[in-house]
Amino acid sequence: MKLPKIKEFHITPIAVVDPPLLNAAGLHAPYALRTVVELVTEDNISGISEIPGNIEIDKALEKSRQFIIGKDPFQLNQIRDILVANFGIDKMSDRGDAPWDQRTLVHIFSAIEVACLDIIGKIVNRPVVDLLGGKRRDAVPFSAYLFYKYEGAGGELAFGTDPNATGWDAARQASALNPTEIVAQAKAMCKEFGFQSIKLKGGAFEPRQEVDAILALHKEFGENTPLRLDPNALWTVETSIKYGKEMEGILEYLEDPCRGQENMATVRKALKTPLATNMCTTSFEDIPRSYTLGSEDIILSDHHFWGGLQDSMKLASICETFGRDLSMHSNSHLGISLAAMVHLGAAIPNFRYALDTHYPWQSDEIIVGGRMKFEDGAVAVPTGAGLGVELDRVALAKLHENYKKCGLTKRNDEIEMQKVQPDWKFKATRW
Ligand code: GKR
Ligand code: MG
């Protein structure tokens, strides 16, 4: 039998239109960066994946090419061992203080692993979810993900808007700088996508206004719509306890109110509300301390920085063992990432909380057939072989041109914010 061998490894950085969203680190640039990886076997079977764009990670991906060409995509253990032998492993401190994860190797492994699983799925003619043990649900529920934002569509329009836009397309461009505008955003997003739970990205304004926005959402949507608030670790322990108590009975979980496992554990002991994280327990090395301290109830996994889909399944088992729930974190992304998230979301056993997605904020797409559909807030698990999505090469080339034109090479929300408020500085703890 002829074994499959990887003969090509393509790395394409792209820039995706992104509106001026506010968060703890500042402001989103007019384009969000992603990198698309495509591996092709000697038999011309193509496997794809998408990770956050960052020129340093792209350079490391380039370096990894020499170790991947000629490998059998089924030999994922061997591929991982070779990458670790040549690059080592990320230091925990490499994650950084920003809301998003800045490690390199976890992203590289994830990019290669997902593309290999896509190839394997195509070879055995089964969807990726079957390679993760099979599906436990046919559709995967997502949560609305609200952002404070300036008026603006992003991309070439930047802070300008398209006067012909209607529905969610128009609402996505509107400003949301106070609780009333946040409620309007929530109504438009839930109407379009059918989401049944709502997350508000906090850390943009002082806690009083963000808590008021949660109270306003609760008033508008009622008891049956679970709410979450994520200040991205900007609050002190005292602030987290004070406002956490005020929101008790209203939030289904409070996400990363403060920084570090120890502080999170102190807050957790003072509140009845569960805590979730994508910032303090972000790798397998963090798990023992998370368990000893009791720093969170829910780990928001993200296959892009938990080392891929198989490692995310390993995380699901660890969470089951140690009494943690598992849900999913996201950054600005397109359909290849969404498809991978849906395959994983369909496979995990401990699914209690709808997953995060930034997808409604993006209007571009690089998969054949265009934007993926949500029904009642959920995405149906793709049934085709592999990830079940194919690259639209024309759309990919267009977004690669955007990348070359836009001049951005890595995410820096502080610089974007300083274009609006010159004295603005990121602070790891603000309130
Ligand atoms: O896109 O601004 C953003 C978010 O703040 C993102 O970078 C975070 O990583 O969504 C994320 C989170 O839940 O912390
Ligand atoms: Mg978060």
Side-chain angles (χ1 to χ4, degrees):
M1 188 179 72
K2 184 177 172 242
L3 297 178
K5 264 193 196 166
I6 297 167
K7 70 162 186 200
E8 292 168 31
F9 185 151
H10 304 283
I11 301 156
T12 313
I14 58 173
V16 177
V17 171
D18 201 24
L21 307 180
L22 291 155
N23 73 107
L27 180 66
H28 281 213
Y31 293 94
L33 305 183
R34 304 292 287 173
T35 295
V36 176
V37 166
E38 181 181 20
L39 303 177
V40 185
T41 65
E42 286 177 347
D43 296 327
N44 292 319
I45 298 170
S46 144
I48 53 178
S49 62
E50 175 194 334
I51 56 169
N54 174 323
I55 194 160
E56 304 307 330
I57 299 181
D58 292 350
K59 282 184 193 156
L61 268 171
E62 293 281 355
K63 279 197 200 145
S64 72
R65 180 184 281 118
Q66 58 184 306
F67 305 116
I68 302 304
I69 298 293
K71 294 288 172 305
D72 174 348
F74 281 78
Q75 300 307 317
L76 284 164
N77 294 335
Q78 186 197 35
I79 289 176
R80 181 190 292 267
D81 292 349
I82 288 173
L83 291 174
V84 171
N86 284 281
F87 293 110
I89 50 170
D90 297 292
K91 291 200 294 297
M92 273 146 94
S93 59
D94 292 342
R95 188 207 171 276
D97 281 340
W100 61 95
D101 197 298
Q102 301 181 51
R103 287 172 295 165
T104 302
L105 297 165
V106 282
H107 285 101
I108 290 188
F109 192 75
S110 165
I112 293 169
E113 189 242 26
V114 173
C116 285
L117 290 175
D118 191 23
I119 291 175
I120 296 170
K122 286 175 181 169
I123 291 174
V124 299
N125 196 22
R126 304 297 286 253
V128 163
V129 65
D130 285 359
L131 308 177
L132 304 177
K135 66 180 171 181
R136 291 187 152 107
R137 51 201 68 83
D138 293 326
V140 174
F142 287 85
S143 162
Y145 195 162
L146 312 181
F147 274 85
Y148 284 100
K149 71 178 289 286
Y150 293 129
E151 183 178 69
E156 280 178 359
L157 287 172
F159 295 101
T161 55
D162 171 3
N164 299 319
T166 57
W168 168 245
D169 274 347
R172 179 172 42 208
Q173 301 177 36
S175 72
L177 296 169
N178 55 53
T180 309
E181 289 179 332
I182 285 291
V183 169
Q185 186 187 93
K187 283 163 79 177
M189 194 188 271
C190 291
K191 185 169 177 219
E192 175 77 11
F193 298 93
F195 295 125
Q196 285 155 30
S197 49
I198 299 178
K199 163 170 168 171
L200 172 62
K201 167 60 49 181
F205 288 100
E206 53 93 24
R208 182 69 263 158
Q209 111 118 278
E210 297 187 351
V211 173
D212 285 346
I214 289 292
L215 299 177
L217 288 165
H218 182 64
K219 192 161 171 231
E220 180 67 35
F221 287 86
E223 300 291 330
N224 294 330
T225 304
L227 301 176
R228 309 144 182 197
L229 175 64
D230 177 12
N232 273 127
L234 278 209
W235 293 359
T236 62
V237 167
E238 294 68 36
T239 304
S240 307
I241 294 174
K242 176 178 165 200
Y243 288 106
K245 281 195 189 275
E246 191 178 332
M247 292 183 288
E248 230 146 37
I250 291 182
L251 291 184
E252 71 169 337
Y253 61 70
L254 178 57
E255 181 174 333
D256 286 312
C258 54
R259 197 166 290 276
Q261 289 179 318
E262 216 140 21
N263 287 339
M264 286 279 283
T266 306
V267 172
R268 182 63 192 92
K269 283 189 192 90
L271 299 179
K272 296 191 196 83
T273 310
L275 297 189
T277 190
N278 63 277
M279 294 184 76
C280 79
T281 302
T282 58
S283 64
F284 292 104
E285 293 92 312
D286 290 327
I287 303 272
R289 210 156 163 266
S290 143
Y291 180 66
T292 319
L293 292 169
S295 47
E296 76 281 315
D297 306 81
I298 303 138
I299 294 182
L300 302 172
S301 148
D302 182 324
H303 73 271
H304 305 90
F305 64 73
W306 276 91
L309 298 174
Q310 292 184 331
D311 266 10
S312 299
M313 289 303 289
K314 184 165 107 187
L315 174 65
S317 302
I318 292 175
C319 283
E320 264 193 312
T321 307
F322 291 103
R324 295 282 182 281
D325 279 305
L326 184 69
S327 189
M328 223 179 268
H329 158 269
S330 92
N331 270 305
S332 311
H333 66 92
L334 295 179
I336 304 174
S337 281
L338 184 59
M341 289 158 78
V342 170
H343 284 285
L344 176 60
I348 57 179
N350 28 3
F351 193 113
R352 267 220 287 165
Y353 298 99
L355 312 181
D356 278 12
T357 179
H358 282 54
Y359 199 65
W361 293 104
Q362 271 64 68
S363 42
D364 293 313
E365 194 40 284
I366 46 166
I367 55 174
V368 172
R371 307 272 306 158
M372 287 177 76
K373 304 275 175 296
F374 287 73
E375 205 164 307
D376 297 331
V379 178
V381 184
T383 49
L387 288 175
V389 293
E390 291 298 325
L391 258 187
D392 175 339
R393 291 173 196 284
V394 175
L396 183 74
K398 181 176 160 259
L399 298 195
H400 181 55
E401 283 309 307
N402 279 356
Y403 176 80
K404 290 196 283 189
K405 271 192 265 157
C406 78
L408 300 165
T409 54
K410 70 200 289 190
R411 180 172 173 186
N412 188 331
D413 291 10
E414 185 183 49
I415 287 182
E416 296 304 318
M417 189 65 156
Q418 286 168 351
K419 293 177 186 166
V420 182
Q421 294 180 37
D423 297 336
W424 197 89
K425 281 243 167 309
F426 170 70
K427 280 190 192 160
T429 306
R430 196 178 283 279
W431 290 289

